[in-house]
Amino acid sequence: MSDHAYNFAYLDEQTKRMIRRAILKGIAVPGYQVPFASREMPMPYGWGTGGVQVTAACLTPEDVLKVIDQGADDTTNAVSIRAFFARTAGVATTEATDQASVIQTRHRIPEAALTEGQILVYQVPIPEPLRFLEPRESETRRMHALEDYGLMHVKLYEDIARHGEIATSYAYPVKVEGRYVMDPSPIPKFDNPKLGGMAAIQLFGAGREQRIYALPPYCDVVSLDFEDHPFVASKADHACDLCGSEVSYLDEVIADDRGSRMFCCSDTDYCAGRRAAGHRGRLSPEEVA
Amino acid sequence: MIEIENLSKRFTLHNQGAAVIEVMTGAQLRVARGECVALTGQSGAGKSTLMRMIYGNYLAAGGSIRVGGLDVTRATPREVIALRRETLGYVSQFLRVVPRVPTRAVVAEPLLALGHAPGAAFARAEALLAQLNIPERLWGLSPTTFSGGEQQRVNIARGFAHGYPALLLDEPTASLDALNREVVLSLIEEAKARGAAIIGIFHDEAARARVADREIDVTGFTPRKAA
Amino acid sequence: MMERALSILSKEKPQDGPLLQVEGLTKFYGARIGCADVSFDLWPGEVLGIVGESGSGKSTLLSCLAGHLSPDRGRVIYAGRDTVSMAEPERRMLGRTDWAFVHQNPRDGLRMGVSAGGNVGERLMAVGARNYGAIREAASDWLGRVEISPGRIDDRPRQFSGGMQQRLQIARNLVTGPKLVFMDEPTGGLDVSVQARLLDLLRGLVRDMGLAVIIVTHDLAVARLLAHRLMVMKDGRVIEAGLTDQVLDDPQAAYTQLLVSSVLQV
């Protein structure tokens, strides 16, 4: 099936070795941003070039790949990356979370608990959690090296001062294994509690910024907060209108021209699975009909 | 209390052909506790220079100045600062203060620096200001805007706030009216009575006669001009 | 404020030895001397002024002392530990606890995009403060102490005047109760009246907190008002040192005489 104009999974073997070394280093030093020589990929920056390179370095011909964008398997970004690897690596693809051995994601962690043996690859736009506070790369690297993280709490302080609460709702910074402060990529803070203690390997790739970092399985991850303003993993206060789930992360969708709105699971596989099992929501077509 | 032995002073003006000006040689002076010695001599004879050397403001070229056992000519800056804080008071002719500091705080500062309780320090400051007839409405203002006479009285109040065992007074009664002159003279007498050793410069002869036990003419310490 | 500040003063116990001991500190820029063979002791509560013209080495010396530059020779012993040979993390920890550095330009010492409260709170958070309410209270208290209305706690520094920015920088530095403060021309670039206010504030803080201060300035009036002792530098070397009023009123070295005589009466 594989397109023989390309090496397996697009990248040449030397490049994949280089990326694997960065990944192994990242796993050995959880939360630490490992520089790597990011390659030009046949897609624009911002479309997941970092995640794609990490996935390419991880894939074996036996792997089953799932790609999601904001939890959905059927959005442009997910579809095109899935097609890319189907063509260049010839690997099997799936939309079922529990069938996949490698899952590349943009901005979500699947609702279903991942298991040992699975790899979750995140697409990361800006890997440096200190970037918006300290523009100098030389200085942020020194701050990481010296665990000089007062600035990170300054950001949270500013949030509370301005909004009365920690308004950061995605890319919420975490501290890994009591050492490195890490940007979990722009996942909603609802997903933050899943980062810690996860059975799967979590890999983060930033193509434009040329950084790879990682969380090994069952790693300790703490969301930063204040004693009197503790971290809260929030979601929209609704149930899914399609499957009725009250515990999943929801997208708000404008349903028609009159502006009526509905909430549905952002994880399409999770939602479909629940509906297949007979769960129903407020607007499930079967009930409307 | 104050013992000066064979003291000499010269100024070297490096930027005026390295001219060396000998201004004092062989100065001797002893002032006991409770004694007031007046320095006399014409203007420029070295009265103020001697006083500044005792205070550590000018460096000596030779000899020694012992104040309460410390030789000022050999002391470290740190020791001189401690001496000035605890032992040696100086009322100069000019008040030099940080702008914006209220008069009350200017006068209390020597006591605060010694670690006195603020309440007691401010009470003492206010008593002295009242005694020296500084109107109460001025106590909260900076003395930088005061008249010359008022500034001089603030300066005196500051100099007498702490009961220094040794005091240097440079024209303490200059530019004062009769009433305030009387107050200052009685302050000096009180200081003597509690045992302070005082060296003063008084152009006011009557004042000098009243408080000084002895006079020393500093002209005697002036080096003879090379012919 | 004075009452409380003084109670802090009375609690300060005098230490047995110098806080800082500097021995033979030397820094070269290639073949050129930055500063050479500088030695002195600094005691708690003492303010040491370093004066000299631009290029005299005073800023180089300050940077070496504060650990921003590594000297080529010499030792800087702080509370018994050599900060020159100390590991960088340890030196940084000193930099956010016991030491403080006030820059000439507040932009170098402040985070211009962060509110006044966040600026003051940063050092607290850097040493582990994790209670928002307590951090905010400390920030508000310090804004008051440097005469900035606590009502402006959420304003950004760029909305402040130059004098206010400099006072904010001082609050940000002193909030962790440092023992040694380095100041590089702290009143430079300010109007004279604003300078006076800042000087008065600094004097009060130095006395109330028992701070040891090393202040670099080319302004002899500032040196006279703030410093107990002076070091005069020329071509990287200390050419004269002593009591501030003695150095200014009876300067011994030719250069110091020139320096003192070339400014207006101070």
Side-chain angles (χ1 to χ4, degrees):
Chain A
M1 271 294 280
S2 152
D3 191 326
H4 292 288
Y6 297 107
N7 189 37
F8 176 74
Y10 185 75
L11 292 174
D12 64 87
E13 292 305 312
Q14 286 303 319
T15 297
K16 286 194 282 190
R17 281 182 63 179
M18 175 271 291
I19 293 172
R20 285 175 196 140
R21 278 198 295 269
I23 291 170
L24 289 173
K25 183 169 177 180
I27 290 172
V29 191
Y32 171 72
Q33 298 169 49
V34 185
F36 80 109
S38 178
R39 298 289 193 255
E40 292 292 329
M41 297 302 285
M43 63 187 73
Y45 289 127
W47 285 64
T49 54
V52 164
Q53 290 178 81
V54 170
T55 298
C58 289
L59 282 179
T60 63
E62 298 75 35
D63 271 314
V64 179
L65 179 68
K66 170 182 165 79
V67 183
I68 51 173
D69 175 7
Q70 311 262 24
D73 294 273
D74 55 1
T75 53
T76 312
N77 193 273
V79 170
S80 57
I81 290 174
R82 195 161 55 230
F84 174 76
F85 281 115
R87 181 168 168 203
T88 60
V91 294
T93 60
T94 180
E95 295 193 2
T97 301
D98 57 356
Q99 299 296 310
S101 57
V102 176
I103 303 172
Q104 180 169 336
T105 177
R106 175 175 175 268
H107 302 188
R108 267 317 304 276
I109 297 176
E111 301 292 350
L114 301 185
T115 56
E116 288 183 14
Q118 288 184 303
I119 298 174
L120 183 60
V121 178
Y122 296 78
Q123 301 172 201
V124 181
I126 296 167
E128 179 50 71
L130 302 164
R131 172 65 64 242
F132 291 106
L133 299 152
E134 173 55 64
R136 290 167 295 182
E137 175 73 12
S138 58
E139 187 59 21
T140 55
R141 293 177 83 164
R142 197 173 290 127
M143 290 162 82
H144 283 295
L146 302 174
E147 248 184 296
D148 190 353
Y149 288 135
L151 196 52
M152 207 61 248
H153 270 86
V154 170
K155 179 173 162 23
L156 302 180
Y157 168 94
E158 291 288 283
D159 255 16
I160 303 174
R162 199 160 311 134
H163 307 291
E165 58 178 5
I166 298 175
T168 303
S169 55
Y170 63 92
Y172 192 105
V174 295
K175 194 163 201 181
V176 179
E177 289 288 325
R179 179 58 182 84
Y180 285 98
V181 166
M182 188 192 93
D183 182 329
S185 87
I187 58 173
K189 68 178 175 180
F190 173 83
D191 283 341
N192 268 32
K194 298 180 210 158
L195 291 162
M198 186 186 284
I201 293 175
Q202 299 173 78
L203 305 177
F204 298 78
R208 181 176 42 214
E209 302 281 330
Q210 315 202 35
R211 293 289 184 276
I212 285 171
Y213 51 103
L215 297 173
Y218 305 111
C219 161
D220 180 38
V221 179
V222 177
S223 301
L224 302 181
D225 62 2
F226 288 101
E227 294 158 6
D228 45 348
H229 286 267
F231 170 81
V232 180
S234 61
K235 65 181 267 290
D237 190 15
H238 290 272
C240 174
D241 286 331
L242 299 179
C243 78
S245 171
E246 295 183 348
V247 296
S248 68
Y249 189 74
L250 302 176
D251 285 336
E252 189 178 359
V253 180
I254 307 293
D256 56 37
D257 291 349
R258 298 189 307 278
S260 55
R261 295 180 296 178
M262 63 178 287
F263 290 91
C264 59
C265 295
S266 91
D267 186 336
T268 51
D269 174 55
Y270 172 81
C271 198
R274 276 179 57 86
R275 276 180 279 147
H279 294 282
R280 293 291 175 265
R282 186 174 63 90
L283 297 175
S284 296
E286 292 84 345
E287 296 197 356
V288 173
Chain B
M1 189 65 205
I2 303 173
E3 298 170 302
I4 297 172
E5 301 281 348
N6 200 24
L7 186 67
S8 59
K9 175 65 185 167
R10 74 174 71 93
F11 290 107
T12 306
L13 306 180
H14 293 285
N15 301 303
Q16 292 173 39
V20 175
I21 304 173
E22 302 282 351
V23 292
M24 188 177 294
T25 184
Q28 308 278 346
L29 180 62
R30 282 168 174 264
V31 185
R33 291 179 195 280
E35 191 182 23
C36 175
V37 173
L39 302 181
T40 61
Q42 290 188 326
S43 185
K47 301 186 294 291
S48 288
T49 298
L50 177 56
M51 212 172 250
R52 283 167 168 251
M53 287 166 74
I54 299 169
Y55 199 57
N57 182 227
Y58 281 2
L59 288 181
S64 68
I65 304 166
R66 296 193 164 275
V67 180
L70 178 73
D71 184 351
V72 175
T73 62
R74 286 174 182 76
T76 63
R78 188 177 146 67
E79 290 169 325
V80 175
I81 289 167
L83 181 78
R84 290 176 177 184
R85 187 169 58 231
E86 289 152 20
T87 310
L88 181 62
Y90 180 35
V91 176
S92 66
Q93 283 179 268
F94 305 101
L95 179 66
R96 200 195 306 258
V97 294
V98 183
R100 282 204 335 146
V101 179
T103 299
R104 184 190 281 119
V106 167
V107 176
E109 194 184 357
L111 294 172
L112 297 175
L114 282 163
H116 285 252
F122 283 99
R124 169 76 178 145
E126 289 173 2
L128 275 164
L129 287 168
Q131 198 178 350
L132 284 156
N133 301 300
I134 303 288
E136 192 172 344
R137 63 186 161 79
L138 298 182
W139 296 355
L141 305 177
S142 164
T144 43
T145 56
F146 292 5
S147 73
E150 284 165 346
Q151 287 198 4
Q152 176 65 352
R153 281 179 275 147
V154 171
N155 212 9
I156 289 164
R158 180 182 162 91
F160 281 89
H162 170 54
Y164 295 104
L167 262 176
L168 306 171
L169 305 174
D170 193 349
E171 298 277 13
T173 56
S175 71
L176 295 185
D177 58 29
L179 178 71
N180 286 310
R181 175 174 171 276
E182 182 57 34
V183 174
V184 172
L185 291 177
S186 62
L187 281 173
I188 296 171
E189 285 168 345
E190 282 168 26
K192 281 176 67 180
R194 66 170 162 77
I198 299 172
I199 297 177
I201 300 172
F202 306 92
H203 281 144
D204 173 351
E205 282 185 34
R208 190 195 315 153
R210 181 167 147 192
V211 296
D213 301 295
R214 286 186 288 138
E215 293 184 6
I216 296 284
D217 186 347
V218 299
T219 316
F221 307 144
T222 309
R224 252 159 294 170
K225 300 275 190 296
Chain C
M1 140 135 203
M2 190 162 266
E3 307 262 346
R4 182 195 50 201
L6 285 161
S7 69
I8 293 171
L9 176 71
S10 55
K11 266 182 271 169
E12 283 285 323
K13 291 197 180 67
Q15 292 193 10
D16 295 340
L19 190 64
L20 192 74
Q21 292 166 281
V22 179
E23 297 164 13
L25 202 64
T26 301
K27 173 75 184 173
F28 290 100
Y29 296 113
R32 199 163 56 81
I33 291 174
C35 62
D37 297 323
V38 178
S39 301
F40 65 90
D41 287 351
L42 187 72
W43 296 69
E46 236 179 3
V47 179
L48 172 68
I50 304 175
V51 298
E53 297 171 332
S54 310
S56 61
K58 55 192 197 307
S59 291
T60 297
L61 173 60
L62 194 71
S63 296
C64 287
L65 293 171
H68 298 171
L69 273 178
S70 57
D72 294 308
R73 276 206 306 272
R75 305 205 299 164
V76 178
I77 314 284
Y78 173 77
R81 295 184 295 163
D82 187 356
T83 65
V84 173
S85 57
M86 179 182 279
E88 179 73 15
E90 210 180 340
R91 191 159 48 229
R92 279 226 166 184
M93 185 49 90
L94 260 188
R96 49 185 193 246
T97 52
D98 276 26
W99 290 9
F101 197 105
V102 176
H103 295 265
Q104 172 174 9
N105 187 341
R107 284 167 187 283
D108 297 333
L110 290 174
R111 297 200 186 276
M112 299 306 283
V114 169
S115 70
N119 264 290
V120 178
E122 180 176 349
R123 271 171 78 103
L124 293 173
M125 294 182 246
V127 295
R130 290 293 178 265
N131 188 295
Y132 174 82
I135 292 162
R136 198 159 169 87
E137 196 173 319
S140 173
D141 175 46
W142 265 98
L143 289 180
R145 287 175 77 167
V146 298
E147 302 168 13
I148 295 173
S149 160
R152 303 203 62 177
I153 190 167
D154 294 328
D155 289 351
R156 306 273 173 99
R158 50 178 122 256
Q159 293 164 271
F160 290 178
S161 67
M164 280 174 77
Q165 287 181 0
Q166 199 57 299
R167 295 203 300 279
L168 179 63
Q169 192 192 176
I170 287 163
R172 169 181 160 88
N173 272 285
L174 298 189
V175 66
T176 48
K179 296 190 174 72
L180 174 59
V181 183
F182 301 98
M183 297 187 185
D184 188 6
E185 305 270 8
T187 60
L190 298 177
D191 292 343
V192 177
S193 61
V194 177
Q195 272 192 24
R197 186 174 182 194
L198 192 68
L199 285 175
D200 174 32
L201 179 79
L202 285 174
R203 261 174 70 115
L205 291 170
V206 164
R207 193 186 61 192
D208 299 345
M209 299 177 73
L211 298 175
V213 178
I214 299 177
I215 177 170
V216 158
T217 181
H218 68 272
D219 186 334
L220 299 183
V222 168
R224 188 190 279 278
L225 286 174
L226 275 183
H228 298 124
R229 289 159 49 200
L230 282 189
M231 294 201 310
V232 182
M233 292 192 71
K234 183 176 191 296
D235 301 332
R237 291 174 191 278
V238 175
I239 54 158
E240 184 162 1
L243 271 179
T244 297
D245 59 288
Q246 180 264 305
V247 171
L248 294 179
D249 295 340
D250 187 16
Q252 304 296 303
Y255 174 74
T256 316
Q257 291 184 358
L258 188 66
L259 196 68
V260 170
S261 65
S262 34
V263 295
L264 299 171
Q265 192 64 46
V266 290

